[in-house]
Amino acid sequence: MAVLSKGNLFDPTLVKDLVSKVKGKSSLAVLSPQEPVAFNGQKEFTFSMDSDIDIVAENGKKTHGGVSLAPQIIVPIKVEYGARVSDEFLYASEEEQVDILKAFNDGYAKKLARGLDIMAMHGLNPRSKAASTVIGDNHFDSKVTQTVEFDSANPDANIEAAVALIQGSEGSVTGLAMDTQFSSALAAMRTGGDTNMRLFPELAWGANPGSINGLQADINTTVGVGGTDLAMTGDFANMFKWGYAKEIPLEVIQYGDPDNSGQDLKGYNQVYLRSETYLGWSIMDASSFARVIKPATGGGE
């Protein structure tokens, strides 16, 4: 009978399943492609040409166009999640062990996805909801200074204003992440008059359609964590990078008090399942994003 020991990795099938589930639960993972990140960190460069092309007459003089090369450092951060299960797990058949791991994998994927958004959007420790010194200012709330104040009567105009800010900075818009409060305000908008039809019928009844007005969109409560943001839009496809730095290990701990609960595992006939992941991300160009935020006075809601 196979018994799991410390330091085992999730098998490739479970890892693939976990990554797939994260993409379904994280707005940033939905809107941005995942790329591998070096364990020791890596530099990503944004390369831009400062001028347009130049016409050169016959025997004419060529002039300097210029380029800008801005490096961004992606340093992976270690996150972990653990749970106690009965020590019968150790003696169960291999099939039953796999079923338990699949359940753990499913739950961990949801927490990992939610955690990615909370960390990269707001710079918070997902568990404590306190500002993380490890993250520092590497998050949207700190770096993205282009903001629009929320107007519950016309949230559509909020997005138009946010898009204008980005385009005014010569950026592109590829995606939109919304809190449920913002999507509800959009869903409530109507044409008025005799018809009084919904402007965004695809958002009715809390739906998450995947795109609005042809723009890729995702609705997630993670956007509103921290109490400031209601929506974020910008070039998620090109100007936000994220990824895993290594394989995702699963540790089965049989002794001690690994979660500092004061309860010895052996004394309570338990084992502890712990998974760790190294995640890294970078906002390549903050001017390519804008946030819709709650008004400082509380008005507009």
Side-chain angles (χ1 to χ4, degrees):
M1 178 180 64
V3 176
L4 293 180
S5 59
K6 295 181 180 180
N8 281 290
L9 297 176
F10 280 123
D11 64 54
T13 301
L14 287 176
V15 171
K16 184 177 180 181
D17 185 52
L18 187 148
V19 173
S20 176
K21 285 186 170 70
V22 168
K23 288 181 178 179
K25 301 295 181 180
S26 162
S27 289
L28 292 176
V30 168
L31 301 173
S32 307
Q34 185 263 337
E35 300 178 4
V37 176
F39 182 74
N40 292 323
Q42 66 191 49
K43 283 185 179 181
E44 292 279 349
F45 294 93
T46 53
F47 184 93
S48 61
M49 295 183 177
D50 301 329
S51 305
D52 290 322
I53 59 174
D54 191 23
I55 296 174
V56 180
E58 185 177 356
N59 300 318
K61 181 178 67 174
K62 299 182 180 70
T63 60
H64 176 65
V67 296
S68 297
L69 193 63
Q72 298 286 341
I73 307 298
I74 300 180
V75 179
I77 293 174
K78 182 169 74 172
V79 297
E80 66 86 24
Y81 194 90
R84 291 179 177 238
V85 299
S86 168
D87 62 3
E88 293 177 2
F89 167 79
L90 294 173
Y91 312 113
S93 67
E94 186 173 352
E95 292 81 6
E96 290 175 332
Q97 285 184 346
V98 170
D99 286 342
I100 293 173
L101 291 184
K102 284 182 177 179
F104 181 82
N105 190 59
D106 182 61
Y108 182 58
K110 294 174 183 177
K111 295 299 182 183
L112 190 59
R114 180 174 170 81
L116 170 61
D117 281 6
I118 293 172
M119 292 186 295
M121 288 179 176
H122 312 296
L124 304 177
N125 182 327
R127 186 168 299 176
S128 67
K129 302 300 185 294
S132 169
T133 56
V134 176
I135 297 173
D137 67 351
N138 184 29
H139 57 94
F140 283 86
D141 283 357
S142 175
K143 289 193 171 183
V144 178
T145 58
Q146 297 181 141
T147 60
V148 176
E149 288 196 348
F150 176 55
D151 178 4
S152 61
N154 196 354
D156 183 38
N158 290 161
I159 298 302
E160 292 286 4
V163 169
L165 287 174
I166 296 166
Q167 292 178 338
S169 301
E170 298 188 352
S172 301
V173 177
T174 65
L176 167 66
M178 294 182 288
D179 182 68
T180 51
Q181 182 181 348
F182 192 88
S183 65
S184 294
L186 277 177
M189 294 188 71
R190 292 180 175 270
T191 58
D194 294 336
T195 57
N196 200 30
M197 298 176 62
R198 289 183 183 272
L199 286 174
F200 300 97
E202 66 273 32
L203 292 173
W205 297 357
N208 192 351
S211 67
I212 303 172
N213 288 339
L215 181 66
Q216 186 179 13
D218 191 59
I219 301 167
N220 201 325
T221 56
T222 55
V223 177
V225 172
T228 300
D229 300 312
L230 289 170
M232 297 182 181
T233 190
D235 191 359
F236 290 98
N238 302 294
M239 292 302 171
F240 178 77
K241 304 289 186 182
W242 76 279
Y244 302 104
K246 62 178 295 185
E247 289 185 276
I248 302 166
L250 170 70
E251 191 176 11
V252 181
I253 303 172
Q254 302 180 42
Y255 306 99
D257 180 20
D259 56 357
N260 299 302
S261 67
Q263 297 179 346
D264 181 74
L265 289 172
K266 279 294 184 181
Y268 285 82
N269 299 311
Q270 296 172 333
V271 295
Y272 194 75
L273 303 181
R274 173 182 284 153
S275 189
E276 296 181 346
T277 306
Y278 288 82
L279 281 172
W281 66 85
S282 180
I283 301 166
M284 307 298 291
D285 178 20
S287 65
S288 291
F289 299 92
R291 298 184 291 130
V292 178
I293 61 173
K294 293 183 179 180
T297 59
E301 295 187 35

